[in-house]
Amino acid sequence: MSEGPHVAARMDDIAPFHVMDILARAQAMEAAGRDIIHLEIGEPDFVTPAPVVEAGVAALRAGHTHYTGALGLPALREAIARFHATRWQATVDPAQVVVTPGASGALLLALGLLSGPGDEVLMADPGYPCNRHFARFCEARPVSVPVDAATGFQLTLDLIDRHATPATRAVLVASPSNPTGTAIAPGELERIHAWCAARGIALIVDEIYLALTYDGGEHTAARWDDVFVVNSFSKYFLMTGWRLGWLVAPRWAMPALERLAQNLFLAAPTPAQHAALAAFAPSALALFEACKAELRTRRDFLLPALRDRGFAIPVTPHGAFYVYAECSRFTSDSQDFARRLLEQAGVAVTPGIDFGRHGGDRHVRFAYTQPLPRLAEAMNRLDQFLQT
Amino acid sequence: MSEGPHVAARMDDIAPFHVMDILARAQAMEAAGRDIIHLEIGEPDFVTPAPVVEAGVAALRAGHTHYTGALGLPALREAIARFHATRWQATVDPAQVVVTPGASGALLLALGLLSGPGDEVLMADPGYPCNRHFARFCEARPVSVPVDAATGFQLTLDLIDRHATPATRAVLVASPSNPTGTAIAPGELERIHAWCAARGIALIVDEIYLALTYDGGEHTAARWDDVFVVNSFSKYFLMTGWRLGWLVAPRWAMPALERLAQNLFLAAPTPAQHAALAAFAPSALALFEACKAELRTRRDFLLPALRDRGFAIPVTPHGAFYVYAECSRFTSDSQDFARRLLEQAGVAVTPGIDFGRHGGDRHVRFAYTQPLPRLAEAMNRLDQFLQT
């Protein structure tokens, strides 16, 4: 007689993305003929630029369809290291670079290496929801530290010190942050780094939006050689669907990371790795910079437009392509607000509850991943929606 | 003062692939001018056929570079379900298909869903080394069950029943098996299925080599709707580097698998998914069948050639592209044997210790992933090597 299927306890803690419900409903409405403005998905609307696509095409036709080594193509690891030097003046040894299946793969490698049962990983709430799920998948305890406008929605040394316990194994910082677009102050990160280093606690810095910083400098944590730095070809490099990212790791960690990568992934996708080699050419970088300029223009339109309409955005988002807007003037239930905004106005946004438990019900995230005329139309629809 | 970096306990149990040492040494010897015959890597020598490559090219140029849904392109999930029907007469609902980043992704999803701390997962030794590491990564205990020629190097109901405990959560069968190429008898798998179903124990069947069965029928476990079936575009479909596989799962598991896939991967690579749509066209299938016929010819050459030279291969490998050869007439240290074979004869093979602790020191794996003339040359070199 069957006792029924057993499911691992972790599954109770791995939540779905509420935005997927919004997306599914939006797509159903579109199929029924409604015009929907998609501001819900964390993905640029730009397709991968031609130089990168054509490098992928050339690689495929040249028969580059076999596995690469688990750490990635040597030429790509070198190009990534050079990019850290030329763009960010950080010295990275190619031997410290792991090419991964998206930043997702990099986060799984880092947390799989560093955390297990009984261990704690500190991270900001609100934050990228997968982070706490990666830690939970590894049977570690994600410790979500509430952050707000007072600290630019970032961890501080004081917050870390107050939430750390003897079980703390890693501190995860994302800068600029998803969903808030806010960056951590370089001095604060430096203090956090010193604090972690003194305690043998690993510092993981998610820099997937670093190259999409619109104001102020782009400060990479890879300038320190004992930090785990996660990055991606998805955002600045516009290669989301290719599934390619990287991890810069301390030298001591590389043999273990290689073993993990061999076993968990075998390797990152080969056509994507060859295509990414073309992403560092000056002509390709010029295209990425043009898209970045367009994103900045959109931010400069959307930010005051939302503030004018009564959304509270106390900290200017300096990077990424998100505005995390407090909507408590209109609702105390962000999921309901997002649903009604979609149904009544045809504007899809992400409810804040996807990003944690701290104030998520009073925030929604607008992703400025649509052209300016569509953003303007979204604001018109928002006006009508808020008047009804 | 630093206490030094903390590493998760799991890393003590996640072994490197010894074959990677062989490969690295082989590549160094090649760089120094030696001619090496590569029989060590589990990857066909054929590149991805043109119809699939060109579908990938067309997808890239059409701008299919964004994320897909976490479960994969609906058209691909339908094509995979149809393939189960047309090739294997198994009814699979597309809603039960998850497209994954390689079979690696499918195994991580299945074991992540089913197993955690305190849980046990039964699997054969020798077997694919990543299997025990996936279970360990999930903090479950991989229970490696020694198997030998008497059971065709496969689990049997009797073996499972003897090794099961109240903590057993899943049984993992791979057929045809890596490294042995041997298949499980359909009747035995049916008994195992009934036993698992009666106890609420999950049955996971790795069928990544199923379409590469040279003798006898191809019996898919996907004909039962309560089994987790892992498959891949890497082997039969010759798409290794694209990193694409799939999982057929029970209906009850799909919402949880979708959550896991969202968090662990976001999605499988988009260009690969579009390319794979072309892999089911009759013209593409004809090319795969031609490569399969070539692999069978190689097996029919290599198998008697190795037996004639004194390797014991008591069970004919009916599928995959491996011969798991007992070499105890020549050595009791397969790693040393593989090293000397490489150094002295320029033939790279995989030591059996990569596949488990049961008899691995007395076996080596030959992958027939080189054309017949190279296999013949390898046998000549083997003759000279064994005479010295």
Side-chain angles (χ1 to χ4, degrees), chain A residues 251-274:
Chain A
R251 283 171 209 282
W252 63 262
M254 294 304 295
L257 289 172
E258 182 170 12
R259 296 200 317 268
L260 262 190
Q262 285 173 353
N263 281 285
L264 295 181
F265 315 128
L266 296 184
T270 303
Q273 292 191 61
H274 283 274

Side-chain angles (χ1 to χ4, degrees), chain A residues 1 6 8 10-11 14 43-44 48 54 61 65-67 112-113 115 133 138 169 198 241 259 263 265 270, chain B residues 1 6 8 10-11 14 43-44 48 54 61 65-67 112-113 115 133-134 138 169 198 241 259 263 270:
Chain A
M1 200 187 71
H6 168 90
R10 69 171 61 87
M11 293 309 302
I14 294 183
E43 178 173 35
T48 308
E54 290 307 315
R61 287 184 172 160
T65 61
H66 288 103
Y67 299 127
L113 172 75
S115 70
H133 295 144
C138 297
R169 295 288 171 256
R259 296 200 317 268
N263 281 285
F265 315 128
T270 303
Chain B
M1 200 187 70
H6 169 89
R10 69 170 62 86
M11 293 309 301
I14 294 184
E43 177 172 35
T48 308
E54 290 307 315
R61 288 186 171 158
T65 60
H66 287 103
Y67 299 127
L113 173 74
S115 70
H133 296 143
F134 280 120
C138 297
R169 295 291 171 253
R259 296 202 315 271
N263 281 285
T270 303

Side-chain angles (χ1 to χ4, degrees), chain B residues 116-190:
Chain B
D119 297 337
E120 294 179 355
V121 180
L122 297 190
M123 59 189 72
D125 178 348
Y128 180 56
C130 300
N131 288 338
R132 64 179 190 275
H133 296 143
F134 280 120
R136 181 64 186 89
F137 192 87
C138 297
E139 296 295 331
R141 194 167 83 84
V143 177
S144 294
V145 178
V147 295
D148 55 27
T151 68
F153 295 100
Q154 288 285 353
L155 293 176
T156 62
L157 178 55
D158 179 57
L159 284 169
I160 291 168
D161 199 43
R162 279 195 279 143
H163 286 83
T165 75
T168 304
R169 295 291 171 253
V171 171
L172 198 163
V173 171
S175 177
S177 150
N178 176 5
T180 65
T182 54
I184 196 165
E188 193 69 29
L189 189 59
E190 194 165 335

Side-chain angles (χ1 to χ4, degrees), chain A residues 305-306 308-311 327 329-331 337 340-341 344-345 366 379-388:
Chain A
L306 289 172
D308 288 349
R309 282 161 180 82
F311 291 91
C327 50
R329 186 169 154 187
F330 313 113
T331 185
F337 183 82
R340 286 188 293 113
L341 185 60
Q344 295 172 35
F366 293 79
M379 291 306 101
N380 290 341
R381 294 186 189 183
L382 192 60
D383 284 336
Q384 290 189 301
F385 171 76
L386 294 175
Q387 281 162 18
T388 56

Side-chain angles (χ1 to χ4, degrees), chain A residues 82-106:
Chain A
R82 266 198 310 277
F83 187 69
H84 281 85
T86 54
R87 189 176 185 110
W88 296 318
Q89 295 78 53
T91 304
V92 169
D93 185 338
Q96 291 175 264
V97 176
V98 193
V99 179
T100 56
S104 306

Side-chain angles (χ1 to χ4, degrees), chain A residues 344-357:
Chain A
Q344 295 172 35
V347 176
V349 300
T350 303
I353 53 170
D354 261 0
F355 306 103
R357 273 162 290 192

Side-chain angles (χ1 to χ4, degrees), chain A residues 95-274:
Chain A
Q96 291 175 264
V97 176
V98 193
V99 179
T100 56
S104 306
L107 287 161
L108 188 63
L109 284 185
L111 289 169
L113 172 75
L114 297 166
S115 70
D119 296 337
E120 295 180 355
V121 181
L122 298 189
M123 57 189 73
D125 177 347
Y128 180 56
C130 300
N131 287 340
R132 64 180 190 274
H133 295 144
F134 280 119
R136 180 64 185 90
F137 192 87
C138 297
E139 297 294 332
R141 193 166 85 82
V143 177
S144 295
V145 178
V147 294
D148 55 27
T151 69
F153 295 101
Q154 289 284 353
L155 294 176
T156 63
L157 178 55
D158 179 57
L159 284 169
I160 290 168
D161 199 44
R162 278 196 278 142
H163 286 83
T165 75
T168 304
R169 295 288 171 256
V171 172
L172 198 162
V173 170
S175 177
S177 150
N178 175 7
T180 65
T182 54
I184 195 164
E188 192 68 29
L189 188 60
E190 194 164 335
R191 281 185 289 276
I192 293 170
H193 170 246
W195 183 94
C196 286
R199 283 157 186 80
I201 292 173
L203 177 59
I204 305 171
V205 184
D206 173 350
E207 299 189 347
I208 74 172
Y209 296 105
L210 182 63
L212 290 176
T213 301
Y214 308 114
D215 324 301
E218 299 175 0
H219 302 280
T220 179
R223 65 187 180 279
W224 300 306
D225 67 1
D226 57 353
V227 173
F228 293 80
V229 179
V230 174
N231 215 315
S232 173
F233 286 95
S234 290
K235 312 299 177 177
Y236 174 76
F237 295 97
L238 305 173
M239 293 180 68
T240 43
W242 301 72
R243 311 308 302 117
L244 200 68
W246 74 83
L247 176 66
V248 180
R251 283 171 209 282
W252 63 262
M254 294 304 295
L257 289 172
E258 182 170 12
R259 296 200 317 268
L260 262 190
Q262 285 173 353
N263 281 285
L264 295 181
F265 315 128
L266 296 184
T270 303
Q273 292 191 61
H274 283 274

